[in-house]
Amino acid sequence: MSTTLDPTDYPLSVQRPDLLRTPTGRPLAEVTMAAVVSGEIRNEDLRISPETLKLQGEISDSVGRRQLAENMRRAAELTAVPDEEVLAIYNALRPRASSAARLAEIADRLENDYAAATCAALVREAAQVYAARDLLAREGD
């Protein structure tokens, strides 16, 4: 992304709608009630795009909200992961819900199947913290 954003660009839908596109590539300006009623707009057009989430992260970084920016980058990666799998990962990350091996498997799948390296790093970090705090499920549980 070559655009540099700062707090004056927030909210993007008001200040920089020219940068926003749906996941199918439609400009935000084309997402109108008339287009929805006519069927021109599909369900996929009503989801947030990974690019929009990355732009939100850039604005968060510009005001020193590093953790929020990281959350936005992880959310951008998760747009490629099927909803059912996101929910399964969420459940697997509960304390004592998964073994170290299971969390490693999830991290590897995120990284290798979905190019979600930031999310994979978070799962690996969770596994380390859970191990240190005795919050992992026992093998075979």
Side-chain angles (χ1 to χ4, degrees):
M1 228 165 274
S2 61
T3 305
T4 301
L5 300 178
D6 62 43
T8 63
D9 295 305
Y10 185 82
L12 289 169
S13 61
V14 173
Q15 302 300 331
R16 296 300 307 271
D18 57 302
L19 297 177
L20 303 181
R21 296 194 167 284
T22 71
T24 63
R26 288 182 181 273
L28 181 62
E30 289 182 14
V31 181
T32 64
M33 186 57 73
V36 170
V37 170
S38 74
E40 290 176 51
I41 300 297
R42 303 183 326 239
N43 284 341
E44 298 84 27
D45 291 310
L46 300 176
R47 293 177 167 248
I48 195 164
S49 71
E51 293 77 20
T52 298
L53 288 161
K54 290 174 188 175
L55 291 169
Q56 294 283 25
E58 189 176 326
I59 292 172
S60 298
D61 268 335
S62 78
V63 295
R65 305 272 319 264
R66 183 188 57 78
Q67 290 174 321
L68 180 58
E70 282 297 308
N71 286 343
M72 293 294 180
R73 285 187 274 279
R74 282 190 291 271
E77 288 180 350
L78 287 175
T79 62
V81 180
D83 292 346
E84 300 78 29
E85 191 157 355
V86 171
L87 183 58
I89 292 167
Y90 174 81
N91 285 324
L93 283 169
R94 291 180 298 114
R96 294 191 177 85
S98 298
S99 65
R102 173 75 176 119
L103 292 175
E105 176 187 300
I106 290 169
D108 289 346
R109 191 169 59 253
L110 284 166
E111 191 164 44
N112 298 322
D113 295 353
Y114 300 107
T118 305
C119 290
L122 179 72
V123 172
R124 290 184 180 108
E125 181 182 350
Q128 290 176 342
V129 171
Y130 287 5
R133 295 184 181 174
D134 194 30
L135 296 174
L136 290 169
R138 306 290 186 248
E139 294 297 331
D141 283 354

